[in-house]
Amino acid sequence: MNHTRILPDFSSIEAYHQYLSHTPDGCSRTVAHYLEQIRTHAHLNAFVEVFSEESMARARDLDAKRSRGEATGKLHGVVVAIKDVICYRDHKVSAASRILKDFVSVFSATAVEQMLQEEAIIIGSCNCDEFAMGSTNENSAYGRVLNALSAQRVPGGSSGGSAVAVQAGLCMVSLGSDTGGSVRQPADFCGIIGLKPTYGRISRHGLIAYASSFDQIGIFSQNIADASRVLEVINGKDPYDSTVLQEKVTEYPKGPSSRKFRIAVLKNALEHPSLDPEIRDSIRGLAGELRTQGHPVEEVDFNLIDYIVPAYYVLTTAEASSILSSYD
């Protein structure tokens, strides 16, 4: 059955939950819709595995729970995809590499467990650059991921599959990982929200590492409110990760704030010869808008700009060499 026409526009998780409040089989209809969309957009190669039967069964269970009048979780029925570097118990996780082909995880990442506890539905695992090393999602054992806006454009990486899954409407939100831009850059390329939280805000337990002192699980969504809701669920202390922050943040802003923020723009980056003039002009235009709104925006000198990328590659590749040696 084609469910597309009878589904509302899920502009946010809040709107979706309102829909579920008066639709007894809403989760089942929703999962069926997304499974159909995944099949229709299979050419994008965003997924490496789709949990069709499992996600439908969970949807039916959640519909039954609502019908009994029981309290529901913060992510009740929300359809989520996860990057193929995030462990999900009894499911394959390969980091898009033949090295880990057919490896089945024996436990779930803490972030996955937290989402499941709040009644999310995990619909599948997303393609990525091998071992999360790349910025185009062309370096995967499963083949390249296509940008839904144009097959001639890369989606960014390494979390390209997770970004495209949200961009193309194949799930509501997704999880990726970000070491040096692997959530932020594909979110930008795909025109969606991408959040790399403060290092340590989300437990790294169950995340296949690239460089442990840089890695962080991140969130893709269509809007800020949904990213905030997911972050509220998956942040906080974890005995399995000694680097995680101990404070649990229970609420994040869901929209524009009335606060005035002091914002610094790196003058050296804006004037760097490698920066596209269109991007430079766009950033300065945004800075002007923010000033008009009352936010102090100042261009500041940062003379270490040329050392950032070299330092990043020295540190991350050293860590990656150590970590990957365990697979030898």
Side-chain angles (χ1 to χ4, degrees), residues 272-291:
H272 201 279
S274 66
L275 184 65
D276 189 301
E278 187 178 354
I279 295 175
R280 179 196 62 218
D281 294 343
S282 178
I283 292 172
R284 282 194 163 135
L286 176 59
E289 292 178 23
L290 291 169
R291 289 189 186 98

Side-chain angles (χ1 to χ4, degrees), residues 221-233:
S221 66
Q222 293 285 2
N223 56 72
I224 292 172
D226 287 358
S228 294
R229 184 185 289 252
V230 173
L231 185 57
E232 288 169 358
V233 169

Side-chain angles (χ1 to χ4, degrees), residues 119-158:
E119 301 178 355
I121 299 172
I122 299 178
I123 201 167
S125 178
C126 288
N127 202 349
C128 60
D129 285 299
E130 187 172 6
F131 282 101
M133 299 177 188
S135 56
T136 63
N137 217 150
E138 297 174 298
N139 308 296
S140 167
Y142 304 106
R144 58 194 287 253
V145 175
L146 303 181
N147 192 314
L149 293 173
S150 170
Q152 283 68 52
R153 300 287 188 270
V154 298
S158 62

Side-chain angles (χ1 to χ4, degrees), residues 2 38 57 59 74 98 101 112 155 166 172 203 215 227 243 270 316:
N2 187 328
I38 291 170
K74 202 164 189 174
R98 297 192 189 281
K101 183 176 181 293
V112 170
V166 172
M172 295 179 187
S203 170
D215 296 338
T243 67
L270 285 180
T316 57

Side-chain angles (χ1 to χ4, degrees), residues 87-211:
C87 293
Y88 183 16
R89 183 176 179 176
D90 298 328
H91 295 76
K92 292 179 183 179
V93 57
S94 71
S97 175
R98 297 192 189 281
I99 294 174
L100 294 177
K101 183 176 181 293
D102 298 327
F103 174 73
V104 176
S105 181
V106 297
F107 67 95
S108 292
T110 298
V112 170
E113 287 283 4
Q114 290 166 325
M115 295 185 87
L116 291 173
Q117 288 169 10
E118 293 295 332
E119 301 178 355
I121 299 172
I122 299 178
I123 201 167
S125 178
C126 288
N127 202 349
C128 60
D129 285 299
E130 187 172 6
F131 282 101
M133 299 177 188
S135 56
T136 63
N137 217 150
E138 297 174 298
N139 308 296
S140 167
Y142 304 106
R144 58 194 287 253
V145 175
L146 303 181
N147 192 314
L149 293 173
S150 170
Q152 283 68 52
R153 300 287 188 270
V154 298
S158 62
S159 308
S162 297
V164 170
V166 172
Q167 176 200 37
L170 313 183
C171 61
M172 295 179 187
V173 297
S174 66
L175 295 184
S177 64
D178 190 316
T179 305
S182 288
V183 166
R184 294 162 289 170
Q185 186 237 38
D188 183 55
F189 283 15
C190 293
I192 59 174
I193 300 297
L195 172 66
K196 181 189 183 182
T198 300
Y199 183 80
R201 178 57 67 196
I202 299 172
S203 170
R204 291 180 295 107
H205 178 64
L207 171 67
I208 294 178
Y210 165 9

